[in-house]
Amino acid sequence: MFKDIFQKKRKYATIPSERAIPGERQEAVERPKREIPEGLMNKCSKCGTIQYSKELEKNLKVCPACGYHMRLNAMERIAMVLDEEGFVEHDADMVSVDPLGFPGYSSKLEQQRLKSGLKEAVITGEGTIEGLPVVVAVMSFDFFTGSMGSVVGEKITRAVEHAIEKKLPLIIFSTSGGARMQESILSLMQMAKTSAALARLDEQGGLYISVITDPTTGGVSASFASLGDIIIAEPGAVFGFAGRIVIEQTIRQKLPDDFQTAEFNLQHGQLDMVVHRKELRATLGKLLDMHSEKGGV
Amino acid sequence: MAGSLPYEAPLIEMRKKIEELVQFGQEKGIDFTEEIARLEERYHRLEEEIYTSITPAQKMHLARHQQRPTALDLIQLIFTDFTELHGDRMFGDDLAVVGGLAKLNGQTVTVLGQQRGKDTKDNIARFFGSAHPEGFRKGLRLMKQADKFGRPIITFVDTKGAYPGNTAEERGQSEAIARNLLEMAKLSVPVIVVVIGEGGSGGALAMAVGNRVLMLEHAIYSAISPNGAASILWKDASKADQAAEAMKITAKDLLEMEVIEEIIPEPRGGAHQDYDTAATAISEALVRHLDEMKGWSAEQLKQDRYEKFRKIGSVTFEAPASAVEPTKEREPAGEVEANSEAESVQVEASEQPLEAEPVKNLSGNAE
């Protein structure tokens, strides 16, 4: 009884913070951290340079000091690349279920929605780039590390099918940690599903441009992200199948710093080009234009 | 019992007792026939009990059993005239993937397998059955060859996953897997996949886009190995058994989720107990499924394969934004409430057939 009174253990009030979400350690480390005062300043997670957020926005979230391309969520990406008017989102209300009854999955989904303000890791729809119509799918690393479960697979597949139906070119902006293991085999099968849809687009002669953004790994890199007629990556974007740590454990060697970066992949023949964010919209516009003679398809 | 598994310990113990009793009887000249018969009966009952209640975690160990028949073991038993073909014509010959021509019931087929090693030396040469890009590309080359000559393709899946190394990455591991997924969807011949051991992740799937996907009774198939899932989810790879239970990796689970078409029964205790019986069961299933697809046109085969994968996945549709608002405002502290909300989503999902929705909308898209 007295022991309880004299207990040394102190009780602290806990303040919920973005970084305190369990199971999100990896992301918390990598995400650009906001310093006080909230929102006004921003610190580059690569070189540590502090700058006004407004300036950074103007610079398309590319660090002016080191050129690091910070991660964008789907809405930011759409605003940056597509024409201002006319984006129509598809399947906006499609959400995940917990098909396997996986421990903790339902509550984790809820957390991810609160944290990111998104319903799932991909937004799909139709819009224009420099006036040229295009079907787009844009992933967000913000939501569940961009992992692919049934919803991501289904939305991407529908986007591909929409491009086939409307005979429109397709652009997918990928970023993902891989398959969503809470949906186990169902998420693995999304790789086959999305790729099979792309096979149909391919046979129809449709254009598919894959844009790799940081990071694109695992089941997404080993399916639709690697199947573009043209594959573009943002500078420094990590693009590969297996994670660096797993590989280092396998080969028992330290890997070079640039391993799996866009530049590394370009050198090894896995990409068509590395394009700075400032040039991305113009590059995509040019490529769409060069394929528009046949009406995109 | 060579290479026994932990859950088989009671059987081994009892077998030992029976043998001791037999020996004791012989030495002392006492007739224990009745006792031995009774023990044998108990042994069989226990065997039945143990082997019919193998847990997912136990299956994981069984699927990885060193003496479990490999792809080459089964190929030799199921087919005749197996003629191995080598190389991807681009980089090398990855021994983690084997393939070639063979005859099944008199019909020429292309057969492919992911090949674990039989011993340490063999395992090193075959990268423990984990393929590099050249392995997947060799597989693809042989599949395209089968397509050209119009012969069915049979693949045996047995891998922990694609090789996770720098050399594999440099040569485009992602592209090699992705390319196989796309190209397999285009094949105009019947493709039958049999998961014979461990179906690990993208490395397994890269050779598993089939019209029919069959699994041996104790094989497992998942997006990530239970060990990998445990180390990511709980930062503890030793919780692999726990992950195996949660991840629904068994043939029975996958049949229920309609990811696979059929479970091929294994001899009691597992395929390693009796290769011939296992091979016969696989052979029977292959012949039957090939027969079913006999006479199908290229278009039919492609359409069938497309639909098989198209319907996999379960999603739901939320009420319009206004109805969702309260959810967004909820404090994260409401853990219990968050769960009950999630449950209601689940119920909503199970009310409608999980696959029906996407398919319906697919045809909606196809206007």
Side-chain angles (χ1 to χ4, degrees):
Chain A
M1 219 194 302
F2 286 113
K3 228 169 74 185
D4 289 343
I5 295 169
F6 297 114
Q7 188 186 42
K8 277 269 172 70
K9 201 172 156 193
R10 286 176 193 162
K11 282 185 180 143
Y12 295 95
T14 48
I15 301 161
S17 80
E18 274 195 326
R19 289 201 278 151
I21 294 163
E24 279 308 300
R25 212 174 58 185
Q26 187 193 350
E27 195 182 343
V29 175
E30 286 168 28
R31 261 158 64 93
K33 295 174 193 112
R34 294 218 179 95
E35 303 287 300
I36 4 165
E38 184 72 36
L40 183 64
M41 304 295 286
N42 208 308
K43 189 173 162 187
C44 174
S45 62
K46 271 272 146 63
C47 70
T49 305
I50 295 169
Q51 58 238 317
Y52 283 108
S53 296
K54 272 190 181 166
E55 289 296 313
L56 194 63
E57 300 286 337
K58 252 190 248 169
N59 208 32
L60 305 172
K61 288 207 170 176
V62 176
C63 173
C66 72
Y68 174 61
H69 283 51
M70 295 174 191
R71 288 170 189 170
L72 303 179
N73 73 26
M75 294 322 288
E76 292 172 311
R77 176 71 64 182
I78 288 166
M80 198 195 89
V81 176
L82 267 67
D83 296 340
E84 238 169 86
E85 301 280 311
F87 175 71
V88 181
E89 188 179 348
H90 295 160
D91 304 307
D93 298 327
M94 195 193 293
V95 291
S96 291
V97 294
D98 178 12
L100 310 186
F102 198 92
Y105 184 36
S106 293
S107 54
K108 180 120 193 246
L109 279 169
E110 190 66 22
Q111 282 172 3
Q112 295 294 323
R113 293 176 60 142
L114 289 165
K115 186 191 74 157
S116 66
L118 298 163
K119 283 187 191 169
E120 250 299 334
V122 70
I123 288 180
T124 58
E126 194 181 327
T128 56
I129 296 175
E130 302 195 332
L132 297 164
V134 63
V135 176
V136 292
V138 189
M139 300 187 74
S140 291
F141 199 76
D142 258 11
F143 187 96
F144 229 121
T145 65
S147 57
M148 174 158 66
S150 296
V151 171
V152 171
E154 182 63 26
K155 283 177 91 170
I156 297 266
T157 304
R158 288 186 186 198
V160 179
E161 287 171 342
H162 186 71
I164 294 169
E165 288 312 316
K166 294 283 177 76
K167 294 193 166 20
L168 287 175
L170 168 74
I171 304 178
I172 301 178
F173 298 85
S174 292
T175 176
S176 176
R180 190 170 299 168
M181 68 190 116
Q182 288 85 350
E183 292 188 29
S184 193
I185 195 74
L186 297 180
S187 58
L188 185 72
M189 292 300 142
Q190 304 309 309
M191 294 169 65
K193 182 162 108 181
T194 52
S195 301
L198 284 170
R200 289 191 160 186
L201 179 68
D202 189 42
E203 285 182 323
Q204 195 196 43
L207 170 68
Y208 164 38
I209 300 173
S210 170
V211 181
I212 307 298
T213 68
D214 185 58
T216 299
T217 59
V220 166
S221 83
S223 60
F224 57 84
S226 288
L227 293 171
D229 298 298
I230 295 167
I231 308 179
I232 299 171
E234 287 199 324
V238 166
F239 176 39
F241 181 63
R244 167 187 282 266
I245 295 165
V246 178
I247 298 172
E248 284 181 339
Q249 280 166 357
T250 310
I251 62 170
R252 295 195 180 86
Q253 275 171 38
K254 202 97 177 78
L255 292 160
D257 284 345
D258 74 338
F259 184 68
Q260 289 179 325
T261 59
E263 296 73 16
F264 173 95
N265 276 293
L266 185 69
Q267 205 179 10
H268 286 90
Q270 305 302 330
L271 290 175
D272 288 288
M273 47 184 137
V274 178
V275 176
H276 193 282
R277 197 170 281 171
K278 280 182 185 167
E279 313 287 331
L280 189 56
R281 184 179 143 84
T283 305
L284 291 171
K286 190 173 81 179
L287 289 170
L288 289 177
D289 180 58
M290 286 169 152
H291 288 83
S292 65
E293 287 150 35
K294 271 173 71 190
V297 175
Chain B
M1 212 151 51
S4 67
L5 291 150
Y7 60 85
E8 293 172 320
L11 285 176
I12 293 162
E13 187 120 318
M14 195 180 268
R15 175 55 57 203
K16 215 169 101 192
K17 271 190 193 148
I18 295 172
E19 274 160 17
E20 272 170 12
L21 194 62
V22 171
Q23 209 183 354
F24 185 75
Q26 278 167 355
E27 276 169 19
K28 306 280 174 184
I30 312 168
D31 181 21
F32 284 125
T33 319
E34 223 171 277
E35 283 82 356
I36 289 167
R38 219 174 316 133
L39 277 173
E40 283 288 359
E41 201 202 306
R42 262 177 63 193
Y43 180 87
H44 286 297
R45 244 183 299 146
L46 185 64
E47 199 180 43
E48 185 71 31
E49 210 173 284
I50 286 175
Y51 288 140
T52 51
S53 58
I54 299 175
T55 66
Q58 288 167 346
K59 277 184 197 256
M60 176 178 77
H61 298 292
L62 189 49
R64 293 172 178 172
H65 198 290
Q66 185 52 41
Q67 279 149 16
R68 194 169 171 84
T70 65
L72 278 178
D73 291 328
L74 293 171
I75 288 170
Q76 297 293 355
L77 290 169
I78 294 166
F79 304 91
T80 54
D81 303 313
F82 175 58
T83 310
E84 191 173 353
L85 302 173
H86 290 274
D88 70 343
R89 302 293 187 272
M90 290 190 261
F91 181 82
D93 184 38
D94 185 351
L95 298 178
V97 174
V98 296
L101 306 174
K103 290 218 171 200
L104 176 69
N105 214 15
Q107 183 184 12
T108 305
V109 297
T110 286
V111 59
L112 294 166
Q114 293 164 335
Q115 181 64 28
R116 285 181 294 115
K118 294 297 275 185
D119 51 46
T120 308
K121 200 178 151 205
D122 195 20
N123 256 325
I124 288 165
R126 299 185 187 278
F127 295 94
F128 292 81
S130 289
H132 281 69
E134 51 271 27
F136 297 121
R137 287 170 184 150
K138 166 161 109 178
L140 183 58
R141 180 178 78 82
L142 296 178
M143 287 191 273
K144 284 191 159 182
Q145 189 187 70
D147 201 43
K148 174 182 172 182
F149 293 105
R151 55 180 172 248
I153 297 165
I154 290 153
T155 75
F156 293 113
V157 169
D158 188 14
T159 183
K160 282 186 165 43
Y163 184 72
N166 55 334
T167 49
E169 296 291 319
E170 285 165 7
R171 298 200 282 275
Q173 188 70 293
S174 289
E175 197 275 346
I177 295 169
R179 186 65 51 197
N180 276 22
L181 302 181
L182 181 133
E183 294 294 341
M184 285 188 85
K186 291 181 178 177
L187 293 168
S188 53
V189 293
V191 181
I192 303 179
V193 176
V194 188
V195 184
I196 56 170
E198 186 168 10
S201 187
L205 187 65
M207 286 170 60
V209 184
N211 295 84
R212 305 287 157 87
V213 180
L214 320 175
M215 270 176 91
L216 280 184
E217 188 183 347
H218 301 306
I220 59 170
Y221 195 2
S222 65
I224 179 170
S225 76
N227 313 59
S231 63
I232 294 171
L233 285 173
W234 303 302
K235 318 278 175 227
D236 185 358
S238 66
K239 287 186 176 160
D241 284 8
Q242 204 177 318
E245 302 283 339
M247 288 167 68
K248 306 272 190 284
I249 58 174
T250 68
K252 193 166 158 281
D253 293 324
L254 269 67
L255 187 70
E256 275 166 21
M257 290 189 271
E258 293 182 40
V259 171
I260 63 166
E261 276 68 37
E262 187 178 322
I263 299 171
I264 302 173
E266 290 188 32
R268 171 164 287 185
H272 64 284
Q273 305 275 18
D274 182 354
Y275 282 22
D276 287 321
T277 306
T280 307
I282 296 170
S283 175
E284 182 276 320
L286 290 175
V287 170
R288 181 161 39 80
H289 283 284
L290 278 182
D291 259 2
E292 280 174 22
M293 288 184 276
K294 199 169 251 171
W296 286 19
S297 69
E299 263 329 295
Q300 243 176 316
L301 287 163
K302 280 165 69 174
Q303 182 67 23
D304 171 72
R305 213 176 300 124
Y306 191 79
E307 280 166 13
K308 169 178 164 55
F309 289 92
R310 183 66 188 85
K311 69 181 190 337
I312 301 177
S314 59
V315 302
T316 190
F317 289 86
E318 211 171 47
S322 58
V324 187
E325 278 313 310
T327 321
K328 284 188 176 169
E329 282 163 19
R330 186 174 292 140
E331 290 298 311
E335 187 72 37
V336 180
E337 270 199 68
N339 274 330
S340 64
E341 162 77 338
E343 265 165 32
S344 74
V345 173
Q346 255 176 280
V347 173
E348 199 184 321
S350 55
E351 270 169 6
Q352 41 183 266
L354 296 183
E355 289 82 14
E357 195 61 30
V359 172
K360 202 166 66 196
N361 275 273
L362 167 61
S363 56
N365 274 350
E367 281 161 7

